[in-house]
Amino acid sequence: MNGGEIPMQQRWPERLWIVRHGESAGNVARDAARAAGLARIDIALRDVDVPLSPLGERQSDALGRWFAAMPPEERPDVVLTSPYLRARHTAERIQAGGGLRVETRDFVIDERLREKEFGVLDRLTTKGIAELIPDQAEFRRILGKFYHRPPGGESWCDVILRLRSALDTVSLHHGGRRVLIVGHQVVVLCLRYLLENMTEEQILAIDAEGDVANCAVTEYRFDPRAGHEGALVLHRYNFVAPLEQTGTPVTAQPDANVASR
């Protein structure tokens, strides 16, 4: 370093974990609707209010024990969570299991991490969309899931736009920290798209390989040698060992609004 040169401050977290919430009651209702060949998913709650299922609670507890097994200096010390009940309760149960170095009152509830909004497709199965609003099924076929925006809802690009802002906040306020984000399946995938500078084709190929499992861990670690100023580098994706180690069933169903993803 030349005399007078100011050392560059690390802008990214030292470690970043991105977790999809535990199995929800919406997952269960969606499976029942599909098995029965129904057009609509039978759930009375707003999507934001859908709770964890009993299995989702067990999954969240198992993940809390996995984090708690880490040395204290390696556990998350910043938590950002979607405002949706199933995401907040996942984060709270991880904390209750001793897996975090941050109190629940200090969680940052960030609406930019919310589930993709489905608009007119909300609570419809794939069969329901084809039967009730076939024009939207055709628009999605033509445009693809990355760009298709159902009336009143969002495309993947819309989700990515708000997540760009969320990542700017992470880099501005949490450089050098250990950050846990608890969100949803599309949020996990779209954050990968942004952090790894992917194309539409690349992220949709990953999506096509299979759903993000409930309470699966996607982890990045900061590498000062990556890029011009250092970067977050993927360490693991869709990691379900914390559940398997405790004998907790792994589930990978999309949320109740599966048809519009």
Side-chain angles (χ1 to χ4, degrees):
M1 183 174 67
N2 297 326
E5 185 176 330
I6 300 174
M8 187 172 297
Q9 183 177 1
Q10 180 176 323
R11 62 184 290 259
W12 288 114
E14 190 64 33
R15 293 175 78 172
L16 173 66
W17 296 270
I18 307 168
V19 169
R20 184 186 174 201
H21 61 78
E23 183 192 64
S24 72
N27 298 145
V28 177
R30 167 261 185 189
D31 279 354
R34 189 167 72 171
L38 301 178
R40 297 186 184 275
I41 297 163
D42 184 16
I43 191 162
L45 300 169
R46 296 185 308 164
D47 195 22
V48 66
D49 297 323
V50 172
L52 292 173
S53 69
L55 175 55
E57 293 178 346
R58 289 172 55 197
Q59 292 169 335
S60 303
D61 294 345
L63 189 53
R65 290 192 293 272
W66 180 74
F67 277 114
M70 296 179 180
E73 67 276 8
E74 295 183 12
R75 297 174 197 158
D77 59 4
V78 175
V79 173
L80 294 88
T81 177
S82 160
Y84 282 39
L85 186 64
R86 55 190 180 272
R88 291 190 287 112
H89 282 184
T90 297
E92 289 167 5
R93 295 185 80 95
I94 293 172
Q95 197 279 338
L100 305 176
R101 297 196 70 184
V102 53
E103 296 298 324
T104 304
R105 64 176 179 271
D106 295 320
F107 289 0
V108 178
I109 298 174
D110 193 326
E111 73 287 344
R112 295 171 296 182
L113 301 174
R114 70 188 184 276
E115 174 64 288
K116 176 181 178 291
E117 296 183 357
F118 301 95
V120 299
L121 306 186
D122 189 25
R123 305 185 196 194
L124 295 182
T125 62
T126 302
K127 178 181 179 181
I129 294 173
E131 290 179 353
L132 301 174
I133 41 177
D135 59 329
Q136 288 301 312
E138 179 64 7
F139 289 152
R140 188 176 185 277
R141 185 191 67 80
I142 294 170
L143 293 172
K145 67 167 65 178
F146 196 79
Y147 289 104
H148 176 241
R149 178 191 293 135
E154 294 179 299
S155 68
W156 278 37
C157 288
D158 295 320
V159 177
I160 288 166
L161 180 62
R162 52 178 161 92
L163 290 178
R164 285 190 187 279
S165 170
L167 282 182
D168 283 346
T169 298
V170 169
S171 66
L172 180 65
H173 294 290
H174 306 305
R177 305 288 292 277
R178 300 181 303 281
V179 177
L180 170 64
I181 292 175
V182 182
H184 307 267
Q185 173 162 279
V186 174
V187 169
V188 174
L189 289 164
C190 289
L191 285 172
R192 280 204 66 181
Y193 170 88
L194 290 168
L195 289 166
E196 299 173 50
N197 196 28
M198 291 185 182
T199 63
E200 173 193 0
E201 292 76 18
Q202 287 171 325
I203 193 57
L204 290 184
I206 292 171
D207 176 53
E209 292 174 358
D211 293 322
V212 178
N214 294 108
C215 277
V217 176
T218 296
E219 180 181 347
Y220 290 86
R221 297 184 179 184
F222 182 75
D223 184 349
R225 300 163 298 180
H228 179 63
E229 300 177 356
L232 288 170
V233 175
L234 184 68
H235 180 64
R236 50 186 148 205
Y237 168 64
N238 214 7
F239 179 66
V240 295
L243 306 186
E244 294 172 340
Q245 289 167 1
T246 60
T248 306
V250 175
T251 54
Q253 308 100 320
D255 288 336
N257 320 73
V258 59
S260 61
R261 293 180 193 283

